[in-house]
Structure formats: structure tokens, C-alpha cells
């Protein structure tokens, strides 16, 4: 049992991971107030993100780190945890939106107008239809001739 309970280390990475979790939770709370219908899906993704942070912590703070210095095969398991398991879980957790939502409103950069949303002009263009602005631009281009 001392193999599991012994040889844990304290590192600044612990503080960074806890700060990331706190920041993420603050963003989740803000998003939950803004869009309550998506709270369940965001909570599930956040658990995946937290699992990725936990895998990274286990790889660098637990007895895995201690025994990785003594056994090559444990060192390779540590590499697998750090290069494949943790990043995959962190990215699948999609933490970017809650982390961005946690920033105070005055410091956040406004999103591009219409980014990620279907606008009427975008839907018409996707359907191959000309909008009034598109027709006007096409008419000017035709009137200008091939030389522009």
C-alpha cells in the first residue's frame, strides 16, 4: 500500500491545475446562466477535461514519476500518459469556451460578427442564390467589363 501512498510530490503544476479548474468552473457558471439548456453537455465535457488534468497530474506527481526514474518501462508509461492520454482528454473536454467565458467582460475581445452563425446572406450564398448585395456587385462587375 505504501507504493500507492508514498512518493507523492508537491509541485507548482498542482497549483496551475487547480487554478485551471477554478477558472473553468467560473466560466461554466457564467455560461450556465447565459445558456442553461447546454449546461448538461458542458458538464460532461468538463469532466473529460478534468480527467485529462488528473492524468497529467498522476503522470508527474504520483509514484509514477518516482518509479519512472528507476524503471525504463514506467518511464515509457509516463510518456504515453503525457503524450497521448492527457492531451486527448483535455482537447476532447473542449475547455476553450468556458475558459474564455471566465474572463471579465471588459477584457474579452468581441467575437467576429456572425462568426459561427448562419446569416441570411450566408444561407443564400450557400444555396447558390444571389442576395441583393451580390446582385449589385455582379452588375457593377459586368458593367466595368473584363478589364475591371
Amino acid at each position: 500500500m505504501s507504493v500507492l501512498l508514498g512518493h507523492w510530490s508537491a509541485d507548482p503544476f498542482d497549483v496551475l491545475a487547480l487554478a485551471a479548474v477554478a477558472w473553468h468552473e467560473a466560466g461554466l457558471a457564467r455560461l450556465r446562466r447565459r445558456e442553461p439548456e447546454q449546461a448538461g453537455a458542458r458538464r460532461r465535457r468538463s469532466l473529460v477535461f478534468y480527467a485529462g488534468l488528473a492524468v497529467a497530474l498522476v503522470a508527474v506527481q504520483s509514484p509514477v514519476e518516482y518509479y519512472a526514474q528507476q524503471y525504463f518501462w514506467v518511464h515509457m508509461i509516463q510518456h504515453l500518459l503525457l503524450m497521448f492520454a492527457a492531451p486527448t482528454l483535455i482537447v476532447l473536454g473542449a475547455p476553450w469556451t468556458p475558459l474564455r467565458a471566465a474572463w471579465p467582460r471588459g477584457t474579452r475581445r468581441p467575437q467576429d460578427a456572425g462568426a459561427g452563425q448562419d446569416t441570411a446572406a450566408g444561407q443564400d450564398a450557400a444555396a447558390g442564390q444571389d442576395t441583393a448585395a451580390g446582385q449589385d456587385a455582379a452588375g457593377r462587375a459586368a458593367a466595368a467589363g473584363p478589364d475591371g
Side-chain angles (χ1 to χ4, degrees):
M1 195 63 166
S2 66
V3 171
L4 296 178
L5 298 177
H7 308 295
W8 284 84
S9 63
D11 196 66
F13 185 64
D14 297 337
V15 176
L16 290 174
L18 287 175
V21 168
W23 195 266
H24 192 266
E25 283 295 322
L28 281 176
R30 185 172 285 172
L31 288 170
R32 189 178 311 114
R33 286 190 301 272
R34 195 179 323 155
E35 301 167 347
E37 65 278 354
Q38 294 183 3
R42 282 200 176 102
R43 174 55 60 193
R44 285 188 295 276
R45 284 193 308 264
S46 70
L47 293 176
V48 175
F49 171 62
Y50 300 152
L53 290 178
V55 167
L57 283 172
V58 165
V60 297
Q61 306 293 19
S62 73
V64 172
E65 168 62 23
Y66 175 78
Y67 289 110
Q69 296 174 9
Q70 298 175 3
Y71 299 105
F72 181 72
W73 66 272
V74 178
H75 179 74
M76 288 292 100
I77 289 174
Q78 184 182 34
H79 274 275
L80 291 173
L81 291 173
L82 289 173
M83 291 190 295
F84 295 110
T88 302
L89 290 171
I90 289 171
V91 170
L92 285 176
W96 326 122
T97 303
L99 289 173
R100 184 179 182 277
W103 284 101
R105 288 197 190 273
T107 60
R108 283 185 270 165
R109 194 175 77 190
Q111 291 181 341
D112 297 332
Q117 300 175 359
D118 288 332
T119 60
Q123 291 173 351
D124 290 342
Q129 300 171 354
D130 288 332
T131 61
Q135 290 173 351
D136 186 40
R140 281 182 284 165
D147 296 328

